[in-house]
Amino acid sequence: MKISNPLFLSLTTMNFFQSIIFPFLYNNKAKQLGMWLIWLWGFILIGISFYATQLMPLPFSFKGQILLDGPTITIFTAPRPFVGSIGERQALAVRSWLGLSPDITVVLFSQQPSVFSFAELFSPRVSVDPNIDFTFLGTPFFHSIVARSKASSSDVSIVIDPDTILLPDFIQTMKHAHKLDHDWLLFSSSKSVSHFPFHLDADGKHWLQDDGSRVKTRKDFVSQDWKWNLCDGKMLIAWNNGDLPLHKGVLPPFLYGKGLHNRWLINEALLSDFRFVFDASWSISNLNLNDLDQDFNRTSEDFLGLATGKRFWEVTGNSNLAMLYGSLYFHEQNFSNIFRLFQCGGDYLFVNSAKMVVYPLRYKGSLSLRKQVMSKSTREKKTLECVDTIRSTKGANDCSVEDYWTVSTPISLPLSLDILLSLRADKNKTVVLAVVGYSYKEMLMSWVCRLNHLQISNFLVCALDDNIYDFSILQGLPVFKYANLETKISFDNCHFGTECFQKVTKVKSRIVLQILKLGYNVLMSDVDIYWFKNPLPLLSSFGPAVLVAQSDEYKLTGPINLPRRLNSGFYYAYSDVTTIAALEKVVKHAANSNLSEQPSFYDTLCGEGGYNRIDDSRCLEPQTNVTVQFLDRDLFPNGAYKDLWQESNVKEACLMKGCFIIHNNWISGRRKKLERQVPSGLWEYDMSTRMCLQTWHKTKVVYF
């Protein structure tokens, strides 16, 4: 007979022990034998117990995993610095998250020292990740936040506003949602709180009222007269880390916290129909500690927003992106038809209040759940009351993108060159300058990403056309426009030797001269240059009145400062009277030349034919007394030196030489440059997602 009932096994064992073993022990003559039987039966009992546990039902299984206490959850957010009242609100919010469950960890996206200091207090459950994309003013990119969150190894990822408090019903909802047998995405709109009369105890586990008494029930919180915050983007978004994408297509480079990105993501997820998307606003209590003085205000005197964070162009950029990509503006989802998860009479139910359809939360089978029949039973009457409560609440279906801009608004960075220089220059008043047109936008971004990885932040971008200017603003770059260019920048035909190339290169020296006259040192760098490490300490060590430049000589032996071998795509100039005078001569010479500016550098400073050369690596311009120092090619190789670009591992070959940079020149045409640089591994940007490549970012690089 097959015994399959664990309870039957246990009862049988106990009856046998009481009826046979215990009476046997009372016989003094058999005590010794009885003790051996007890030991023997103990081992038998252990074996039976182990067998019985194997027959008992296992904890709920989901996609092959055993769920014990609940899913592992990582909460991602991008806080402001932890200082003042803002820091206090954010600290309370994070502590509310951690107190919900030991299975919750928090990742803070920031580059601010105060955020790192705060995270250390709660390590290892709270960590800081600076390796996402930020604008030059420190605003994080939403698409980078989502990509990093999707790369998490936890069961559930949450993206939430940094000063949003979560109450205990959050963890229960997550446990139930995680049991769904289909990939899902949920969102929960916040309730706006101007005064929150509760605080956490020292352990962060219990809520206390202002008088110190413990909050006992959820009703103590939700009974407060708090306003729904459904339309301004303050919400929690969560998804299980399953196999399906969140939506079709690519998430645009929205700026986090600047409007529309949450609603854009939800709208696209609904239309894509990859995941089950539902509104959990009625089952998750999340309270946003609002800060009225931080609200966006177009009439603010601080129009630039550098002090208050009210930056007009960032909101405009998000609005334009929402119009250009996806269907938010043209096919806005009717949010009244979204299924909403709510708790009613102790049960979790899905309801579509527009269609009066209610489904129980099922964990097995498909999402095509059977419709409940509405009867007059007590339970169904209670359910109808809950549905009516939701129907009476004005929700996300009342939101409209018209709250922002309904027509594309020109985007402009209202920061002059003077302001950008003051914001970006390092402590030595030095900036790194790139001058670029739209045809080289991919290389610009790879160059920017590399500098960001090297933690070099003192760079500026000069835009040669409107397209690259708009692109740079949306990518969060410190950009200014050169307004006097009298030529169009061809996408593929503005390479070495063309008339377009000649006119573009002459802009570079004029911009450098302008910045030098404003009192800033300049490292001019073409964007087809890959940086292995920061060259600024070495370049600045040559001192004033020395213009330090890359050599374009390709021969392995002999002088490196032969005629017209000065590469004007990489040079360092001090802001001193002597260097400014020398560069003025270069600009004047180039203006009267039919060639590019590069020959003008050499002919002016080293003399035509090189008659100002003083040795094999230097020249001395006699009128201004400026020295031109040509850089060691092993450290600063050009594109033809030692055929480094033909090496099987270009990066390794350069690192062995101790290279600071390598120039992707001595090759004509944008496409050929890309075909050489991208496969080499010296590439830092994915054009398809508009994100810098990170260690966690696994994607196919698209560059054409």
Side-chain angles (χ1 to χ4, degrees), residues 62 65 67 70-76 103-107 109 127 129 145-158 178 239-243 696-698:
F62 175 67
Q65 298 179 343
L67 302 181
T72 57
I73 298 172
T74 302
I75 297 179
F76 298 91
D103 293 326
I104 290 178
T105 56
V106 176
V107 175
F109 297 119
S127 60
D129 189 347
I145 288 176
V146 172
R148 170 64 181 85
S149 303
K150 288 172 63 179
S152 170
S153 60
S154 60
D155 298 323
V156 176
S157 291
I158 313 287
H178 185 59
W239 62 84
N240 71 305
N241 287 317
D243 299 326
W696 50 263
H697 185 197
K698 297 179 180 179

Side-chain angles (χ1 to χ4, degrees), residues 365-383:
S366 69
L367 281 175
S368 299
L369 302 174
R370 185 181 58 188
K371 184 189 303 184
Q372 287 187 345
V373 178
M374 295 296 183
S375 70
K376 294 184 179 180
S377 66
T378 301
R379 184 169 184 174
E380 289 164 345
K381 181 178 180 181
K382 178 65 176 177
T383 299

Side-chain angles (χ1 to χ4, degrees), residues 4 13 15 21 92 120 135 276 349 365 371 392 409 455 469 517 524 531 572 587 590 626 659 689 694:
S4 60
T13 301
N15 290 336
I21 299 299
L92 179 62
E120 289 178 1
T135 70
F276 176 43
L349 302 172
K371 184 189 303 184
S392 65
T409 305
Q455 297 183 341
Y469 180 73
K517 289 181 177 181
M524 173 66 214
W531 292 37
Y572 182 87
V587 170
V626 162
C659 294
T689 61
Q694 307 285 355

Side-chain angles (χ1 to χ4, degrees), residues 561 606 612-620 627-630:
N561 60 348
C606 291
N612 291 337
R613 293 173 55 226
I614 55 176
D615 57 28
D616 288 349
S617 63
R618 290 185 301 163
C619 301
L620 180 63
T627 299
V628 179
Q629 175 67 57
F630 287 74

Side-chain angles (χ1 to χ4, degrees), residues 297 299-311:
N297 180 7
T299 63
S300 169
E301 293 181 2
D302 181 21
F303 182 76
L304 301 183
L306 302 182
T308 63
K310 306 164 189 166
R311 297 195 279 264

Side-chain angles (χ1 to χ4, degrees), residues 571-633:
Y571 65 90
Y572 182 87
Y574 262 100
S575 176
D576 59 80
V577 175
T578 303
T579 305
I580 291 174
L583 203 60
E584 284 179 331
K585 292 187 64 176
V586 172
V587 170
K588 183 177 180 180
H589 186 280
N592 297 316
S593 171
N594 293 325
L595 303 175
S596 69
E597 71 168 5
Q598 184 157 302
S600 294
F601 266 87
Y602 190 90
D603 292 352
T604 300
L605 301 179
C606 291
E608 294 185 11
Y611 57 78
N612 291 337
R613 293 173 55 226
I614 55 176
D615 57 28
D616 288 349
S617 63
R618 290 185 301 163
C619 301
L620 180 63
E621 203 286 312
Q623 293 182 343
T624 60
N625 206 33
V626 162
T627 299
V628 179
Q629 175 67 57
F630 287 74
L631 289 163
D632 184 343
R633 290 175 299 168

Side-chain angles (χ1 to χ4, degrees), residues 24-272:
F24 187 75
L25 290 176
Y26 284 103
N27 186 340
N28 292 332
K29 296 180 181 181
K31 283 185 178 180
Q32 186 174 5
L33 179 60
M35 293 301 295
W36 282 105
L37 285 174
I38 289 174
W39 281 100
L40 176 62
W41 193 251
F43 284 111
I44 294 173
L45 185 61
I46 292 173
I48 293 174
S49 299
F50 178 76
Y51 173 69
T53 59
Q54 304 306 303
L55 298 176
M56 293 177 66
L58 292 174
F60 188 86
S61 176
F62 175 67
K63 295 185 179 180
Q65 298 179 343
I66 303 300
L67 302 181
L68 297 174
D69 295 331
T72 57
I73 298 172
T74 302
I75 297 179
F76 298 91
T77 191
R80 289 174 285 182
F82 279 85
V83 294
S85 61
I86 293 175
E88 292 175 1
R89 291 197 303 272
Q90 293 180 157
L92 179 62
V94 173
R95 292 180 67 220
S96 78
W97 309 341
L98 297 175
L100 295 173
S101 168
D103 293 326
I104 290 178
T105 56
V106 176
V107 175
L108 307 175
F109 297 119
S110 179
Q111 299 172 327
Q112 294 289 332
S114 65
V115 178
F116 283 88
S117 298
F118 172 82
E120 289 178 1
L121 300 174
F122 300 93
S123 179
R125 293 185 65 193
V126 179
S127 60
V128 183
D129 189 347
N131 297 316
I132 64 166
D133 292 347
F134 295 86
T135 70
F136 75 99
L137 291 176
T139 303
F141 279 94
F142 181 67
H143 69 329
S144 190
I145 288 176
V146 172
R148 170 64 181 85
S149 303
K150 288 172 63 179
S152 170
S153 60
S154 60
D155 298 323
V156 176
S157 291
I158 313 287
V159 176
I160 192 172
D161 193 77
D163 45 18
T164 296
I165 289 175
L166 294 177
L167 300 183
D169 55 11
F170 163 80
I171 196 67
Q172 286 300 113
T173 302
M174 287 299 104
K175 287 181 178 180
H176 282 81
H178 185 59
K179 295 176 184 178
L180 291 168
D181 61 354
H182 194 282
D183 288 343
W184 50 267
L185 179 147
L186 70 80
F187 63 95
S188 175
S189 299
S190 302
K191 284 189 174 181
S192 181
V193 181
S194 58
H195 173 62
F196 189 68
F198 310 103
H199 61 277
L200 284 164
D201 61 12
D203 295 330
K205 296 181 179 179
H206 302 290
W207 286 99
L208 306 176
Q209 300 187 61
D210 284 347
D211 60 5
S213 59
R214 181 181 295 185
V215 180
K216 295 182 180 180
T217 66
R218 175 177 176 268
K219 292 182 179 179
D220 293 333
F221 291 101
V222 298
S223 62
Q224 305 291 319
D225 186 19
W226 290 328
K227 181 181 178 182
W228 279 100
N229 201 9
L230 296 172
C231 294
D232 68 352
K234 301 288 185 181
M235 63 176 59
L236 171 156
I237 298 179
W239 62 84
N240 71 305
N241 287 317
D243 299 326
L244 295 177
L246 301 183
H247 61 91
K248 295 178 182 177
V250 176
L251 183 59
F254 289 114
L255 296 183
Y256 180 70
K258 305 303 179 181
L260 292 177
H261 52 74
N262 285 334
R263 287 159 61 193
W264 189 97
L265 177 60
I266 293 167
N267 188 74
E268 290 304 305
L270 283 164
L271 292 176
S272 300

